[in-house]
Amino acid sequence: MLYIVVAYLFSFAVRLIWVHWAAQFPQFFWNGQLMINTNDGYYFASGAQHALWGMHADNPRIPSMWGYGVVALTTWLTKFTPMSLETVILYLPAIISSLVVIPIVLIARLFDKPLWGFLAALLGAVTWSYYNRTMVGYYDTDMFSAMAPMFILYFLMRSVVRFDLRSALYAALMIAVYPFLYDQGRAIVFAMGLIYAGYLIWKHADERVTYESLILIFLALTPYKLPIPWEYLAHLLVVSAAYWFLQRYRELPLRPLMTATGVLFLLFLILGDVFPLIWHKIQSYVVTGTTEEGKLHFYAVNQTVREAGKIPFELFAKRISGSVPVFFLAMLGYLLLLWRYRPFLLSLPLMGIGFFAYWGGLRFTVYAVPVAALGAVYLFVWITEYIRERRLAIALPIAATAAMLVPNIEHIVAYKVPTVFSAPEVKDLVALDKNASDKDYTLAWWDYGYPIWFYSDTSTLIDGGKHDEDNYIVSKILQTDSPTLAANLSRLAIETYVRNPHEKVAPKLFEKRDPNLLLAELESGKVKLPPKTRDIYLYLPLKMLNIFPTVILFGNLDLKTGKALYRPRFFVTRPLKKEGDVLALSNGLLIDFARGKLRLGKEEAPLRRFVIATLDRDMKIGIKEQNYESDGLYSVIYMRNYNQILVMDEKTYHSLYIQMFVLGHYDPKFFEPVVTSPYTRIYRLKR
């Protein structure tokens, strides 16, 4: 207990380093509390708002309290403790994720080496990737991602070490509640269950406890296809009832138990869609290029998400163990564990999914961290078995763990993550909330969907979990040079979505007729639009400048062929120095004002225009424009207030985002500004 308490306090205290740093910046605070630092957190926070105060009643994608354990925990803590919702969502990741020290210590205790578990808990709780995804403010289900499977692993290992049914019961109950905590990890738990079954049959094929244990585990693993939360309750009741029955009727012969195990195993494979689920998880993170929906081609979002791409080996090793040398020590120690303690075979799925991160993306490294920590420390514990001097035998693993902690603590100190939004940006969304009703929609890129829910109480077409084919629609609106197309497509898309929020809008709109013809008719105004049932707002933030080339990718497609319509060119840079008529930019480009050229090394391209955009105190944008060649390839905008320079092709220059946010130009027939600030421009669609 002492080891667990000390390790937990250490884990929590280390996570306060970020709080100490972030507290220096007033713009990181809202409602008297630091804001969170992950976009997805606002999804669950919005669910808590709905459970607590009934907000987002017209949002078809709002999560229910019983759908996610994190929403339920947040709701209860906000309701029954003095903490505000902002405080709960800020600190809950550290409170929950630090519990990982418990199974780490207890696993080592199974083998009578509690000091090993304590030292591994210190390391595993703060290793690079686990910290990154469970730090204070990283409010997401990732707080359960490695912690909950480690509890399952502990009870499964305890079951095979002690070979008692009660340990299998605890494992089954933990498996039963696991989807409530972290539904995305079902494939990992399925794999753990299969290896557990194989291990027991390999080691104890003729023992009744083997089949009694497997009955409990398969009952817990098999989906019952019931509505939430009855699914979780049914699992708990069925597993508990089965345990009572097996305890009550100890005289049952072995063969009926074996038969029941086989039947339940088949049901698990069928109802759980085990292999298709595992394959789908793998495939969803390695897909690239465009995806097909019927006869249409849409851009695949996974290739633009950094956490879903292949990562360099050095980064892979650091995320699992903190440094490359420690990673190799951890792998050597893990191999020793597999050789010395066969129950560690049950940890193979966690290590396997961790290694999949090398191809599938950095997010998966987190699963391997606690087991790798056990391996790294065990290597030195194993060495001490050959050291007779007791003090040296104790000092060696302690000193080694301290050394292995150093790169991880250095990373934590240097990991300066800002909050998702700054206070001025939140102020703009709160201003939108005052203008809009909860049934209204805000069209924005998916990165900003959940924060828009939380702060403005409006719904969105795409968001952090719904960024599929409908990305095309929002991208097309943001990059079109036609206000008519933007307005008509916005109304058509939202009213179509409202009528059936469970269907994707883009395939529904563009499969029925030639997509190019429909876009042309929307631009010309020939399409009869559905009746207006709510207001629609366009959210255009400053921070989208840096990702605008990525945003363009999704709408810059011929849906029939999947080929790009044009090659967009867009650079965000800063002025460095001016010598005569030549301005040097931070990305290496040179602007020759006298000759009207854009230069990079020996290459030159003609300029079309140079624009200076200045924001005054009334949030109006003044424009000064110098025209050059009428067929010039590039337009340049100097955003004076931000000291930023935008270099772009002509089509991008005329895009809705550049015109309406950067230059403040909008068609009053279709749009009216409702929020204008240095950080955001929000327009209401007038038709």
Side-chain angles (χ1 to χ4, degrees), residues 590-645:
L590 299 173
I591 300 177
D592 189 332
F593 291 103
R595 299 174 57 239
K597 302 291 184 182
L598 188 69
R599 290 162 37 193
L600 179 61
K602 295 181 179 180
E603 297 183 10
E604 290 186 342
L607 280 180
R608 183 147 186 160
R609 64 176 63 81
F610 181 83
V611 178
I612 299 176
T614 305
L615 190 66
D616 65 19
R617 292 182 178 180
D618 297 325
M619 297 298 112
K620 294 181 179 179
I621 300 174
I623 302 297
K624 290 184 179 180
E625 182 172 339
Q626 173 66 49
N627 291 305
Y628 292 97
E629 299 183 27
S630 60
D631 59 349
L633 297 179
Y634 290 96
S635 291
V636 177
I637 302 175
Y638 175 45
M639 301 173 69
R640 185 190 295 275
N641 303 73
Y642 309 90
N643 196 35
Q644 285 187 321
I645 286 184

Side-chain angles (χ1 to χ4, degrees), residues 231-252:
E231 174 84 5
Y232 310 131
L233 183 60
H235 272 99
L236 294 173
L237 291 175
V238 168
V239 168
S240 299
Y243 176 75
W244 174 86
F245 178 85
L246 293 170
Q247 289 289 83
R248 179 73 179 270
Y249 298 97
R250 301 293 299 171
E251 70 282 358
L252 280 174

Side-chain angles (χ1 to χ4, degrees), residues 108-125:
R109 187 172 176 267
L110 285 174
F111 305 100
D112 299 320
K113 290 181 170 57
L115 178 62
W116 163 37
F118 169 66
L119 297 175
L122 296 179
L123 181 60

Side-chain angles (χ1 to χ4, degrees), residues 291-298 510-511 515 558-562:
T291 60
E292 293 188 21
E293 181 74 24
K295 296 180 180 180
L296 303 177
H297 300 260
F298 294 92
F510 295 109
E511 272 190 341
D558 184 320
L559 293 183
K560 295 192 294 184
T561 65

Side-chain angles (χ1 to χ4, degrees), residues 493-567:
I494 293 302
E495 298 298 347
T496 301
Y497 180 62
V498 168
R499 286 199 297 268
N500 195 340
H502 303 294
E503 289 187 3
K504 300 172 185 177
V505 177
K508 186 172 183 179
L509 291 181
F510 295 109
E511 272 190 341
K512 294 180 179 179
R513 53 188 310 183
D514 185 296
N516 297 325
L517 178 60
L518 176 58
L519 289 172
E521 291 180 350
L522 286 168
E523 185 171 355
S524 66
K526 294 180 179 179
V527 173
K528 182 179 179 181
L529 298 175
K532 175 181 176 180
T533 63
R534 64 207 63 230
D535 276 330
I536 298 171
Y537 297 86
L538 286 180
Y539 176 76
L540 308 176
L542 171 68
K543 60 174 50 184
M544 195 166 71
L545 277 176
N546 292 319
I547 65 167
F548 194 47
T550 301
V551 173
I552 290 175
L553 289 174
F554 291 84
N556 182 33
L557 284 178
D558 184 320
L559 293 183
K560 295 192 294 184
T561 65
K563 295 181 179 180
L565 298 175
Y566 74 104
R567 182 186 168 209

Side-chain angles (χ1 to χ4, degrees), residues 44-45 47-53 64-85 87-89 92 95-96 139 144 177 180-181 228-229 232 236:
F44 306 104
Q49 286 179 324
H50 178 66
L52 288 164
W53 305 302
S64 72
M65 177 172 148
W66 295 110
Y68 294 92
V70 66
V71 177
L73 280 173
T74 301
T75 302
W76 294 329
L77 286 172
T78 304
K79 194 171 185 177
F80 299 114
T81 73
M83 292 189 291
S84 67
L85 175 60
T87 299
V88 172
I89 65 178
L92 191 62
I95 294 171
I96 296 298
Y139 177 69
F144 301 105
V177 300
F180 182 55
L181 303 177
I228 302 299
Y232 310 131
L236 294 173

Side-chain angles (χ1 to χ4, degrees), residues 395-676:
L396 177 61
I398 293 175
T401 302
M404 291 187 289
L405 279 169
V406 169
N408 291 293
I409 299 299
E410 288 177 343
H411 165 72
I412 289 168
V413 172
Y415 196 59
K416 302 296 193 295
V417 182
T419 54
V420 174
F421 278 4
S422 64
E425 291 170 315
V426 171
K427 183 180 178 181
D428 292 339
L429 287 176
V430 171
L432 171 60
D433 184 21
K434 293 177 181 178
N435 282 276
S437 75
D438 60 358
K439 73 174 186 177
D440 293 340
Y441 273 72
T442 301
L443 283 170
W445 195 239
W446 64 264
D447 296 60
Y448 318 119
Y450 298 148
I452 287 172
W453 295 6
F454 186 80
Y455 290 114
S456 75
D457 195 15
T458 59
S459 303
T460 57
L461 180 63
I462 57 176
D463 54 58
K466 182 181 177 289
H467 42 65
D468 43 40
E469 288 81 0
D470 289 349
N471 287 351
Y472 174 84
I473 293 173
V474 179
S475 174
K476 181 63 72 175
I477 290 168
L478 292 172
Q479 69 183 267
T480 183
D481 60 359
S482 168
T484 307
L485 173 60
N488 290 341
L489 182 55
S490 297
R491 178 58 63 190
L492 179 61
I494 293 302
E495 298 298 347
T496 301
Y497 180 62
V498 168
R499 286 199 297 268
N500 195 340
H502 303 294
E503 289 187 3
K504 300 172 185 177
V505 177
K508 186 172 183 179
L509 291 181
F510 295 109
E511 272 190 341
K512 294 180 179 179
R513 53 188 310 183
D514 185 296
N516 297 325
L517 178 60
L518 176 58
L519 289 172
E521 291 180 350
L522 286 168
E523 185 171 355
S524 66
K526 294 180 179 179
V527 173
K528 182 179 179 181
L529 298 175
K532 175 181 176 180
T533 63
R534 64 207 63 230
D535 276 330
I536 298 171
Y537 297 86
L538 286 180
Y539 176 76
L540 308 176
L542 171 68
K543 60 174 50 184
M544 195 166 71
L545 277 176
N546 292 319
I547 65 167
F548 194 47
T550 301
V551 173
I552 290 175
L553 289 174
F554 291 84
N556 182 33
L557 284 178
D558 184 320
L559 293 183
K560 295 192 294 184
T561 65
K563 295 181 179 180
L565 298 175
Y566 74 104
R567 182 186 168 209
R569 287 156 293 194
F570 185 82
F571 310 100
V572 181
T573 181
R574 294 183 181 277
L576 288 183
K577 62 179 180 178
K578 187 175 182 183
E579 295 182 356
D581 291 322
V582 178
L583 176 65
L585 306 182
S586 59
N587 64 347
L589 290 173
L590 299 173
I591 300 177
D592 189 332
F593 291 103
R595 299 174 57 239
K597 302 291 184 182
L598 188 69
R599 290 162 37 193
L600 179 61
K602 295 181 179 180
E603 297 183 10
E604 290 186 342
L607 280 180
R608 183 147 186 160
R609 64 176 63 81
F610 181 83
V611 178
I612 299 176
T614 305
L615 190 66
D616 65 19
R617 292 182 178 180
D618 297 325
M619 297 298 112
K620 294 181 179 179
I621 300 174
I623 302 297
K624 290 184 179 180
E625 182 172 339
Q626 173 66 49
N627 291 305
Y628 292 97
E629 299 183 27
S630 60
D631 59 349
L633 297 179
Y634 290 96
S635 291
V636 177
I637 302 175
Y638 175 45
M639 301 173 69
R640 185 190 295 275
N641 303 73
Y642 309 90
N643 196 35
Q644 285 187 321
I645 286 184
L646 312 179
V647 182
M648 68 201 79
D649 60 86
E650 184 68 6
K651 191 169 182 63
T652 303
Y653 175 80
H654 288 287
S655 67
L656 178 143
Y657 174 64
I658 296 299
Q659 290 294 311
M660 293 178 67
F661 174 76
V662 178
L663 301 177
H665 296 159
Y666 65 93
D667 190 329
K669 290 188 301 182
F670 300 107
F671 303 101
E672 66 174 348
V674 293
V675 177
T676 56

Side-chain angles (χ1 to χ4, degrees), residues 294-430:
K295 296 180 180 180
L296 303 177
H297 300 260
F298 294 92
Y299 199 78
V301 70
N302 276 12
Q303 61 184 316
T304 69
V305 180
R306 181 172 177 264
E307 67 178 23
K310 185 176 180 181
I311 58 178
F313 175 78
E314 183 179 2
L315 178 60
F316 164 76
K318 285 181 176 180
R319 289 184 63 84
I320 289 180
S321 298
S323 70
V324 175
V326 177
F327 172 78
F328 284 113
L329 292 174
M331 295 307 102
L332 184 57
Y334 183 63
L335 292 175
L336 275 172
L337 282 175
L338 293 176
W339 174 55
R340 294 288 298 276
Y341 304 117
R342 295 301 168 82
F344 269 92
L345 289 168
L346 302 179
S347 68
L348 283 172
L350 293 175
M351 291 299 287
I353 195 67
F355 272 74
F356 174 69
Y358 185 62
W359 299 274
L362 54 82
R363 68 174 300 176
F364 295 103
T365 54
V366 68
Y367 295 99
V369 166
V371 181
L374 281 163
V377 176
Y378 179 73
L379 179 62
F380 296 95
V381 172
W382 174 74
I383 292 173
T384 63
E385 294 179 5
Y386 301 93
I387 298 176
R388 294 183 179 181
E389 174 59 42
R390 177 170 173 77
R391 285 180 296 182
L392 180 58
I394 294 175
L396 177 61
I398 293 175
T401 302
M404 291 187 289
L405 279 169
V406 169
N408 291 293
I409 299 299
E410 288 177 343
H411 165 72
I412 289 168
V413 172
Y415 196 59
K416 302 296 193 295
V417 182
T419 54
V420 174
F421 278 4
S422 64
E425 291 170 315
V426 171
K427 183 180 178 181
D428 292 339
L429 287 176
V430 171

